[in-house]
């Protein structure tokens, strides 16, 4: 049956993703993909592994001094990554 109030396609897709439990994994994927853009190619080259668990981004960095520098920029990174992903995905970053 036809609806008298059609919805925009983007809204229908968001509703479908939410209904099927796929909205959060999609947002997490966007955030992980945003790491290279937010941090730049130099830092991205030292990044070996990125995962999200319980709203915490876990990042494995090979260089200890770079790891320390990123730890001091933690709050700014969280803000920029969430902004790039378009939602509040993470609240903490752990570097190892």
């Amino acid at each position: 049956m036809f609806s008298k109030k059609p919805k925009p396609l983007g809204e229908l897709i968001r509703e479908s993703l939410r209904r099927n439990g796929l909205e959060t994994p999609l947002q997490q994927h966007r955030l992980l993909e945003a790491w290279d853009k937010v941090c730049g190619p130099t830092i991205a080259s030292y990044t070996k592994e990125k995962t999200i668990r319980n709203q915490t981004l876990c990042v494995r960095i090979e260089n200890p001094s770079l790891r320390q520098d990123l730890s001091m920029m933690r709050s700014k990174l969280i803000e920029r990554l969430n902004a790039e992903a378009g939602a509040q995905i993470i609240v903490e970053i752990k570097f190892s």
Side-chain angles (χ1 to χ4, degrees), residues 57-91:
L57 174 63
C58 302
V59 183
R60 197 172 116 225
I61 304 287
E62 284 187 329
N63 187 316
S65 61
L66 178 60
R67 189 178 321 129
Q68 182 63 33
D69 290 345
L70 290 173
S71 292
M72 289 187 275
M73 299 176 7
R74 183 174 289 149
S75 62
K76 190 66 173 172
L77 286 171
I78 291 169
E79 181 182 312
R80 290 178 63 195
L81 286 165
N82 283 328
E84 192 69 33
Q88 179 76 23
I89 308 296
I90 60 169
V91 294

PDB file of all heavy atoms in Angstrom, residues 57-91:
ATOM      1  N   LEU A  57      38.609   2.908  21.723  1.00  0.00           N
ATOM      2  CA  LEU A  57      39.420   2.619  20.548  1.00  0.00           C
ATOM      3  C   LEU A  57      40.785   2.146  21.032  1.00  0.00           C
ATOM      4  O   LEU A  57      41.467   2.857  21.777  1.00  0.00           O
ATOM      5  CB  LEU A  57      39.567   3.870  19.672  1.00  0.00           C
ATOM      6  CG  LEU A  57      40.506   3.769  18.476  1.00  0.00           C
ATOM      7  CD1 LEU A  57      40.009   2.721  17.482  1.00  0.00           C
ATOM      8  CD2 LEU A  57      40.644   5.119  17.797  1.00  0.00           C
ATOM      9  N   CYS A  58      41.167   0.948  20.652  1.00  0.00           N
ATOM     10  CA  CYS A  58      42.473   0.388  20.997  1.00  0.00           C
ATOM     11  C   CYS A  58      43.340   0.455  19.749  1.00  0.00           C
ATOM     12  O   CYS A  58      42.981  -0.109  18.713  1.00  0.00           O
ATOM     13  CB  CYS A  58      42.345  -1.046  21.478  1.00  0.00           C
ATOM     14  SG  CYS A  58      41.275  -1.236  22.898  1.00  0.00           S
ATOM     15  N   VAL A  59      44.476   1.153  19.869  1.00  0.00           N
ATOM     16  CA  VAL A  59      45.356   1.353  18.719  1.00  0.00           C
ATOM     17  C   VAL A  59      46.747   0.855  19.065  1.00  0.00           C
ATOM     18  O   VAL A  59      47.307   1.226  20.100  1.00  0.00           O
ATOM     19  CB  VAL A  59      45.429   2.856  18.331  1.00  0.00           C
ATOM     20  CG1 VAL A  59      46.289   3.056  17.099  1.00  0.00           C
ATOM     21  CG2 VAL A  59      44.047   3.430  18.112  1.00  0.00           C
ATOM     22  N   ARG A  60      47.310   0.018  18.196  1.00  0.00           N
ATOM     23  CA  ARG A  60      48.675  -0.469  18.393  1.00  0.00           C
ATOM     24  C   ARG A  60      49.627   0.388  17.558  1.00  0.00           C
ATOM     25  O   ARG A  60      49.507   0.433  16.336  1.00  0.00           O
ATOM     26  CB  ARG A  60      48.781  -1.934  17.990  1.00  0.00           C
ATOM     27  CG  ARG A  60      50.026  -2.576  18.563  1.00  0.00           C
ATOM     28  CD  ARG A  60      50.050  -4.059  18.331  1.00  0.00           C
ATOM     29  NE  ARG A  60      51.185  -4.289  17.458  1.00  0.00           N
ATOM     30  CZ  ARG A  60      51.190  -5.064  16.396  1.00  0.00           C
ATOM     31  NH1 ARG A  60      50.118  -5.725  16.071  1.00  0.00           N
ATOM     32  NH2 ARG A  60      52.263  -5.206  15.679  1.00  0.00           N
ATOM     33  N   ILE A  61      50.530   1.087  18.234  1.00  0.00           N
ATOM     34  CA  ILE A  61      51.506   1.970  17.597  1.00  0.00           C
ATOM     35  C   ILE A  61      52.891   1.378  17.825  1.00  0.00           C
ATOM     36  O   ILE A  61      53.253   1.054  18.963  1.00  0.00           O
ATOM     37  CB  ILE A  61      51.439   3.397  18.199  1.00  0.00           C
ATOM     38  CG1 ILE A  61      50.037   3.987  18.099  1.00  0.00           C
ATOM     39  CG2 ILE A  61      52.459   4.318  17.553  1.00  0.00           C
ATOM     40  CD1 ILE A  61      49.605   4.396  16.730  1.00  0.00           C
ATOM     41  N   GLU A  62      53.677   1.268  16.761  1.00  0.00           N
ATOM     42  CA  GLU A  62      55.004   0.664  16.866  1.00  0.00           C
ATOM     43  C   GLU A  62      56.033   1.550  17.573  1.00  0.00           C
ATOM     44  O   GLU A  62      56.865   1.055  18.297  1.00  0.00           O
ATOM     45  CB  GLU A  62      55.542   0.334  15.472  1.00  0.00           C
ATOM     46  CG  GLU A  62      54.919  -0.881  14.862  1.00  0.00           C
ATOM     47  CD  GLU A  62      55.612  -1.259  13.566  1.00  0.00           C
ATOM     48  OE1 GLU A  62      56.111  -0.365  12.869  1.00  0.00           O
ATOM     49  OE2 GLU A  62      55.647  -2.448  13.271  1.00  0.00           O
ATOM     50  N   ASN A  63      55.971   2.836  17.373  1.00  0.00           N
ATOM     51  CA  ASN A  63      56.974   3.755  17.895  1.00  0.00           C
ATOM     52  C   ASN A  63      56.590   4.236  19.302  1.00  0.00           C
ATOM     53  O   ASN A  63      55.572   4.899  19.462  1.00  0.00           O
ATOM     54  CB  ASN A  63      57.098   4.937  16.931  1.00  0.00           C
ATOM     55  CG  ASN A  63      58.222   5.862  17.277  1.00  0.00           C
ATOM     56  OD1 ASN A  63      58.408   6.204  18.428  1.00  0.00           O
ATOM     57  ND2 ASN A  63      58.946   6.285  16.262  1.00  0.00           N
ATOM     58  N   PRO A  64      57.421   3.949  20.332  1.00  0.00           N
ATOM     59  CA  PRO A  64      57.068   4.335  21.708  1.00  0.00           C
ATOM     60  C   PRO A  64      56.949   5.844  21.913  1.00  0.00           C
ATOM     61  O   PRO A  64      56.064   6.302  22.631  1.00  0.00           O
ATOM     62  CB  PRO A  64      58.214   3.773  22.549  1.00  0.00           C
ATOM     63  CG  PRO A  64      58.857   2.747  21.704  1.00  0.00           C
ATOM     64  CD  PRO A  64      58.625   3.138  20.279  1.00  0.00           C
ATOM     65  N   SER A  65      57.811   6.626  21.296  1.00  0.00           N
ATOM     66  CA  SER A  65      57.731   8.074  21.482  1.00  0.00           C
ATOM     67  C   SER A  65      56.483   8.647  20.814  1.00  0.00           C
ATOM     68  O   SER A  65      55.840   9.559  21.349  1.00  0.00           O
ATOM     69  CB  SER A  65      58.987   8.771  20.961  1.00  0.00           C
ATOM     70  OG  SER A  65      59.145   8.534  19.579  1.00  0.00           O
ATOM     71  N   LEU A  66      56.110   8.108  19.669  1.00  0.00           N
ATOM     72  CA  LEU A  66      54.883   8.530  18.997  1.00  0.00           C
ATOM     73  C   LEU A  66      53.672   8.138  19.840  1.00  0.00           C
ATOM     74  O   LEU A  66      52.711   8.905  19.967  1.00  0.00           O
ATOM     75  CB  LEU A  66      54.792   7.906  17.604  1.00  0.00           C
ATOM     76  CG  LEU A  66      53.555   8.222  16.796  1.00  0.00           C
ATOM     77  CD1 LEU A  66      53.429   9.727  16.564  1.00  0.00           C
ATOM     78  CD2 LEU A  66      53.588   7.487  15.463  1.00  0.00           C
ATOM     79  N   ARG A  67      53.719   6.969  20.433  1.00  0.00           N
ATOM     80  CA  ARG A  67      52.648   6.503  21.316  1.00  0.00           C
ATOM     81  C   ARG A  67      52.449   7.484  22.475  1.00  0.00           C
ATOM     82  O   ARG A  67      51.330   7.840  22.824  1.00  0.00           O
ATOM     83  CB  ARG A  67      52.994   5.106  21.845  1.00  0.00           C
ATOM     84  CG  ARG A  67      51.884   4.435  22.579  1.00  0.00           C
ATOM     85  CD  ARG A  67      52.249   3.028  23.060  1.00  0.00           C
ATOM     86  NE  ARG A  67      53.043   2.277  22.115  1.00  0.00           N
ATOM     87  CZ  ARG A  67      54.181   1.661  22.425  1.00  0.00           C
ATOM     88  NH1 ARG A  67      54.652   1.681  23.659  1.00  0.00           N
ATOM     89  NH2 ARG A  67      54.858   0.992  21.518  1.00  0.00           N
ATOM     90  N   GLN A  68      53.546   7.957  23.050  1.00  0.00           N
ATOM     91  CA  GLN A  68      53.474   8.919  24.154  1.00  0.00           C
ATOM     92  C   GLN A  68      52.898  10.253  23.683  1.00  0.00           C
ATOM     93  O   GLN A  68      52.058  10.852  24.354  1.00  0.00           O
ATOM     94  CB  GLN A  68      54.865   9.132  24.762  1.00  0.00           C
ATOM     95  CG  GLN A  68      54.883  10.073  25.932  1.00  0.00           C
ATOM     96  CD  GLN A  68      54.077   9.549  27.095  1.00  0.00           C
ATOM     97  OE1 GLN A  68      53.984   8.357  27.330  1.00  0.00           O
ATOM     98  NE2 GLN A  68      53.474  10.455  27.837  1.00  0.00           N
ATOM     99  N   ASP A  69      53.323  10.724  22.516  1.00  0.00           N
ATOM    100  CA  ASP A  69      52.797  11.982  21.969  1.00  0.00           C
ATOM    101  C   ASP A  69      51.298  11.883  21.710  1.00  0.00           C
ATOM    102  O   ASP A  69      50.546  12.811  22.019  1.00  0.00           O
ATOM    103  CB  ASP A  69      53.519  12.350  20.666  1.00  0.00           C
ATOM    104  CG  ASP A  69      54.960  12.781  20.889  1.00  0.00           C
ATOM    105  OD1 ASP A  69      55.323  13.071  22.047  1.00  0.00           O
ATOM    106  OD2 ASP A  69      55.718  12.814  19.897  1.00  0.00           O
ATOM    107  N   LEU A  70      50.864  10.773  21.147  1.00  0.00           N
ATOM    108  CA  LEU A  70      49.434  10.588  20.878  1.00  0.00           C
ATOM    109  C   LEU A  70      48.632  10.495  22.176  1.00  0.00           C
ATOM    110  O   LEU A  70      47.492  10.957  22.232  1.00  0.00           O
ATOM    111  CB  LEU A  70      49.216   9.339  20.025  1.00  0.00           C
ATOM    112  CG  LEU A  70      49.693   9.428  18.579  1.00  0.00           C
ATOM    113  CD1 LEU A  70      49.580   8.074  17.898  1.00  0.00           C
ATOM    114  CD2 LEU A  70      48.929  10.482  17.816  1.00  0.00           C
ATOM    115  N   SER A  71      49.225   9.919  23.210  1.00  0.00           N
ATOM    116  CA  SER A  71      48.537   9.830  24.501  1.00  0.00           C
ATOM    117  C   SER A  71      48.229  11.213  25.050  1.00  0.00           C
ATOM    118  O   SER A  71      47.193  11.429  25.669  1.00  0.00           O
ATOM    119  CB  SER A  71      49.384   9.056  25.512  1.00  0.00           C
ATOM    120  OG  SER A  71      49.473   7.712  25.146  1.00  0.00           O
ATOM    121  N   MET A  72      49.120  12.159  24.822  1.00  0.00           N
ATOM    122  CA  MET A  72      48.902  13.519  25.302  1.00  0.00           C
ATOM    123  C   MET A  72      47.840  14.255  24.479  1.00  0.00           C
ATOM    124  O   MET A  72      47.259  15.220  24.946  1.00  0.00           O
ATOM    125  CB  MET A  72      50.213  14.292  25.300  1.00  0.00           C
ATOM    126  CG  MET A  72      51.162  13.818  26.381  1.00  0.00           C
ATOM    127  SD  MET A  72      52.617  14.832  26.527  1.00  0.00           S
ATOM    128  CE  MET A  72      53.661  14.095  25.273  1.00  0.00           C
ATOM    129  N   MET A  73      47.581  13.776  23.268  1.00  0.00           N
ATOM    130  CA  MET A  73      46.583  14.400  22.396  1.00  0.00           C
ATOM    131  C   MET A  73      45.271  13.612  22.388  1.00  0.00           C
ATOM    132  O   MET A  73      44.416  13.821  21.537  1.00  0.00           O
ATOM    133  CB  MET A  73      47.125  14.471  20.956  1.00  0.00           C
ATOM    134  CG  MET A  73      48.361  15.280  20.810  1.00  0.00           C
ATOM    135  SD  MET A  73      49.104  15.311  19.153  1.00  0.00           S
ATOM    136  CE  MET A  73      48.000  14.501  18.100  1.00  0.00           C
ATOM    137  N   ARG A  74      45.104  12.723  23.341  1.00  0.00           N
ATOM    138  CA  ARG A  74      43.984  11.781  23.374  1.00  0.00           C
ATOM    139  C   ARG A  74      42.612  12.458  23.256  1.00  0.00           C
ATOM    140  O   ARG A  74      41.798  12.075  22.430  1.00  0.00           O
ATOM    141  CB  ARG A  74      44.067  10.971  24.657  1.00  0.00           C
ATOM    142  CG  ARG A  74      43.028   9.906  24.793  1.00  0.00           C
ATOM    143  CD  ARG A  74      43.282   9.066  26.015  1.00  0.00           C
ATOM    144  NE  ARG A  74      44.466   8.259  25.740  1.00  0.00           N
ATOM    145  CZ  ARG A  74      45.327   7.874  26.650  1.00  0.00           C
ATOM    146  NH1 ARG A  74      45.160   8.207  27.904  1.00  0.00           N
ATOM    147  NH2 ARG A  74      46.361   7.146  26.333  1.00  0.00           N
ATOM    148  N   SER A  75      42.350  13.470  24.050  1.00  0.00           N
ATOM    149  CA  SER A  75      41.011  14.091  24.045  1.00  0.00           C
ATOM    150  C   SER A  75      40.708  14.764  22.708  1.00  0.00           C
ATOM    151  O   SER A  75      39.581  14.687  22.202  1.00  0.00           O
ATOM    152  CB  SER A  75      40.863  15.076  25.197  1.00  0.00           C
ATOM    153  OG  SER A  75      41.796  16.125  25.069  1.00  0.00           O
ATOM    154  N   LYS A  76      41.713  15.399  22.118  1.00  0.00           N
ATOM    155  CA  LYS A  76      41.511  16.044  20.810  1.00  0.00           C
ATOM    156  C   LYS A  76      41.267  14.989  19.723  1.00  0.00           C
ATOM    157  O   LYS A  76      40.429  15.181  18.848  1.00  0.00           O
ATOM    158  CB  LYS A  76      42.726  16.914  20.469  1.00  0.00           C
ATOM    159  CG  LYS A  76      42.523  17.784  19.286  1.00  0.00           C
ATOM    160  CD  LYS A  76      41.463  18.820  19.574  1.00  0.00           C
ATOM    161  CE  LYS A  76      41.385  19.801  18.418  1.00  0.00           C
ATOM    162  NZ  LYS A  76      40.250  20.702  18.576  1.00  0.00           N
ATOM    163  N   LEU A  77      41.980  13.879  19.788  1.00  0.00           N
ATOM    164  CA  LEU A  77      41.778  12.794  18.822  1.00  0.00           C
ATOM    165  C   LEU A  77      40.370  12.214  18.931  1.00  0.00           C
ATOM    166  O   LEU A  77      39.722  11.957  17.913  1.00  0.00           O
ATOM    167  CB  LEU A  77      42.817  11.685  19.024  1.00  0.00           C
ATOM    168  CG  LEU A  77      44.229  11.977  18.553  1.00  0.00           C
ATOM    169  CD1 LEU A  77      45.179  10.892  19.023  1.00  0.00           C
ATOM    170  CD2 LEU A  77      44.270  12.102  17.039  1.00  0.00           C
ATOM    171  N   ILE A  78      39.901  12.007  20.144  1.00  0.00           N
ATOM    172  CA  ILE A  78      38.548  11.474  20.352  1.00  0.00           C
ATOM    173  C   ILE A  78      37.527  12.410  19.723  1.00  0.00           C
ATOM    174  O   ILE A  78      36.624  11.980  19.007  1.00  0.00           O
ATOM    175  CB  ILE A  78      38.258  11.266  21.857  1.00  0.00           C
ATOM    176  CG1 ILE A  78      39.114  10.132  22.398  1.00  0.00           C
ATOM    177  CG2 ILE A  78      36.777  10.990  22.104  1.00  0.00           C
ATOM    178  CD1 ILE A  78      39.101  10.017  23.915  1.00  0.00           C
ATOM    179  N   GLU A  79      37.691  13.694  19.986  1.00  0.00           N
ATOM    180  CA  GLU A  79      36.768  14.690  19.445  1.00  0.00           C
ATOM    181  C   GLU A  79      36.771  14.691  17.917  1.00  0.00           C
ATOM    182  O   GLU A  79      35.717  14.678  17.285  1.00  0.00           O
ATOM    183  CB  GLU A  79      37.183  16.059  19.982  1.00  0.00           C
ATOM    184  CG  GLU A  79      36.323  17.197  19.552  1.00  0.00           C
ATOM    185  CD  GLU A  79      36.863  18.516  20.100  1.00  0.00           C
ATOM    186  OE1 GLU A  79      37.172  18.575  21.305  1.00  0.00           O
ATOM    187  OE2 GLU A  79      36.981  19.465  19.314  1.00  0.00           O
ATOM    188  N   ARG A  80      37.949  14.681  17.327  1.00  0.00           N
ATOM    189  CA  ARG A  80      38.053  14.733  15.861  1.00  0.00           C
ATOM    190  C   ARG A  80      37.562  13.444  15.202  1.00  0.00           C
ATOM    191  O   ARG A  80      36.915  13.485  14.157  1.00  0.00           O
ATOM    192  CB  ARG A  80      39.494  15.034  15.453  1.00  0.00           C
ATOM    193  CG  ARG A  80      39.886  16.468  15.811  1.00  0.00           C
ATOM    194  CD  ARG A  80      41.309  16.787  15.480  1.00  0.00           C
ATOM    195  NE  ARG A  80      41.530  16.695  14.046  1.00  0.00           N
ATOM    196  CZ  ARG A  80      42.734  16.632  13.495  1.00  0.00           C
ATOM    197  NH1 ARG A  80      43.816  16.634  14.252  1.00  0.00           N
ATOM    198  NH2 ARG A  80      42.866  16.546  12.185  1.00  0.00           N
ATOM    199  N   LEU A  81      37.849  12.295  15.803  1.00  0.00           N
ATOM    200  CA  LEU A  81      37.393  11.027  15.239  1.00  0.00           C
ATOM    201  C   LEU A  81      35.876  10.907  15.290  1.00  0.00           C
ATOM    202  O   LEU A  81      35.248  10.490  14.312  1.00  0.00           O
ATOM    203  CB  LEU A  81      38.051   9.847  15.965  1.00  0.00           C
ATOM    204  CG  LEU A  81      39.524   9.614  15.643  1.00  0.00           C
ATOM    205  CD1 LEU A  81      40.153   8.691  16.666  1.00  0.00           C
ATOM    206  CD2 LEU A  81      39.690   9.069  14.242  1.00  0.00           C
ATOM    207  N   ASN A  82      35.290  11.268  16.422  1.00  0.00           N
ATOM    208  CA  ASN A  82      33.827  11.228  16.536  1.00  0.00           C
ATOM    209  C   ASN A  82      33.177  12.197  15.555  1.00  0.00           C
ATOM    210  O   ASN A  82      32.141  11.874  14.961  1.00  0.00           O
ATOM    211  CB  ASN A  82      33.382  11.526  17.971  1.00  0.00           C
ATOM    212  CG  ASN A  82      33.561  10.348  18.893  1.00  0.00           C
ATOM    213  OD1 ASN A  82      33.442   9.203  18.489  1.00  0.00           O
ATOM    214  ND2 ASN A  82      33.857  10.623  20.151  1.00  0.00           N
ATOM    215  N   ALA A  83      33.765  13.372  15.387  1.00  0.00           N
ATOM    216  CA  ALA A  83      33.218  14.346  14.434  1.00  0.00           C
ATOM    217  C   ALA A  83      33.286  13.802  13.007  1.00  0.00           C
ATOM    218  O   ALA A  83      32.344  13.955  12.230  1.00  0.00           O
ATOM    219  CB  ALA A  83      33.977  15.661  14.538  1.00  0.00           C
ATOM    220  N   GLU A  84      34.381  13.154  12.686  1.00  0.00           N
ATOM    221  CA  GLU A  84      34.546  12.583  11.345  1.00  0.00           C
ATOM    222  C   GLU A  84      33.563  11.446  11.096  1.00  0.00           C
ATOM    223  O   GLU A  84      33.049  11.281   9.995  1.00  0.00           O
ATOM    224  CB  GLU A  84      35.987  12.092  11.174  1.00  0.00           C
ATOM    225  CG  GLU A  84      36.370  11.747   9.780  1.00  0.00           C
ATOM    226  CD  GLU A  84      36.457  12.947   8.848  1.00  0.00           C
ATOM    227  OE1 GLU A  84      36.831  14.049   9.292  1.00  0.00           O
ATOM    228  OE2 GLU A  84      36.134  12.760   7.660  1.00  0.00           O
ATOM    229  N   ALA A  85      33.281  10.654  12.135  1.00  0.00           N
ATOM    230  CA  ALA A  85      32.340   9.537  12.002  1.00  0.00           C
ATOM    231  C   ALA A  85      30.892  10.012  12.034  1.00  0.00           C
ATOM    232  O   ALA A  85      29.996   9.298  11.611  1.00  0.00           O
ATOM    233  CB  ALA A  85      32.574   8.512  13.105  1.00  0.00           C
ATOM    234  N   GLY A  86      30.667  11.199  12.580  1.00  0.00           N
ATOM    235  CA  GLY A  86      29.321  11.745  12.605  1.00  0.00           C
ATOM    236  C   GLY A  86      28.478  11.298  13.784  1.00  0.00           C
ATOM    237  O   GLY A  86      27.271  11.477  13.786  1.00  0.00           O
ATOM    238  N   ALA A  87      29.095  10.730  14.804  1.00  0.00           N
ATOM    239  CA  ALA A  87      28.360  10.277  15.990  1.00  0.00           C
ATOM    240  C   ALA A  87      29.340  10.068  17.135  1.00  0.00           C
ATOM    241  O   ALA A  87      30.552   9.962  16.920  1.00  0.00           O
ATOM    242  CB  ALA A  87      27.623   8.977  15.706  1.00  0.00           C
ATOM    243  N   GLN A  88      28.823   9.991  18.350  1.00  0.00           N
ATOM    244  CA  GLN A  88      29.636   9.729  19.539  1.00  0.00           C
ATOM    245  C   GLN A  88      29.878   8.220  19.615  1.00  0.00           C
ATOM    246  O   GLN A  88      29.100   7.488  20.216  1.00  0.00           O
ATOM    247  CB  GLN A  88      28.922  10.245  20.788  1.00  0.00           C
ATOM    248  CG  GLN A  88      29.652  10.013  22.079  1.00  0.00           C
ATOM    249  CD  GLN A  88      30.818  10.959  22.285  1.00  0.00           C
ATOM    250  OE1 GLN A  88      30.855  12.034  21.712  1.00  0.00           O
ATOM    251  NE2 GLN A  88      31.778  10.536  23.074  1.00  0.00           N
ATOM    252  N   ILE A  89      30.960   7.756  19.009  1.00  0.00           N
ATOM    253  CA  ILE A  89      31.256   6.327  18.919  1.00  0.00           C
ATOM    254  C   ILE A  89      32.186   5.898  20.054  1.00  0.00           C
ATOM    255  O   ILE A  89      31.980   4.872  20.678  1.00  0.00           O
ATOM    256  CB  ILE A  89      31.913   5.969  17.573  1.00  0.00           C
ATOM    257  CG1 ILE A  89      31.108   6.503  16.407  1.00  0.00           C
ATOM    258  CG2 ILE A  89      32.150   4.471  17.459  1.00  0.00           C
ATOM    259  CD1 ILE A  89      29.752   5.915  16.271  1.00  0.00           C
ATOM    260  N   ILE A  90      33.235   6.694  20.309  1.00  0.00           N
ATOM    261  CA  ILE A  90      34.215   6.326  21.328  1.00  0.00           C
ATOM    262  C   ILE A  90      34.283   7.392  22.411  1.00  0.00           C
ATOM    263  O   ILE A  90      33.971   8.561  22.174  1.00  0.00           O
ATOM    264  CB  ILE A  90      35.623   6.096  20.732  1.00  0.00           C
ATOM    265  CG1 ILE A  90      36.135   7.361  20.036  1.00  0.00           C
ATOM    266  CG2 ILE A  90      35.633   4.902  19.807  1.00  0.00           C
ATOM    267  CD1 ILE A  90      37.587   7.315  19.651  1.00  0.00           C
ATOM    268  N   VAL A  91      34.669   6.973  23.602  1.00  0.00           N
ATOM    269  CA  VAL A  91      34.861   7.902  24.720  1.00  0.00           C
ATOM    270  C   VAL A  91      36.283   7.823  25.258  1.00  0.00           C
ATOM    271  O   VAL A  91      36.689   8.637  26.084  1.00  0.00           O
ATOM    272  CB  VAL A  91      33.852   7.656  25.859  1.00  0.00           C
ATOM    273  CG1 VAL A  91      32.447   7.976  25.406  1.00  0.00           C
ATOM    274  CG2 VAL A  91      33.937   6.238  26.372  1.00  0.00           C
TER     275      VAL A  91
END
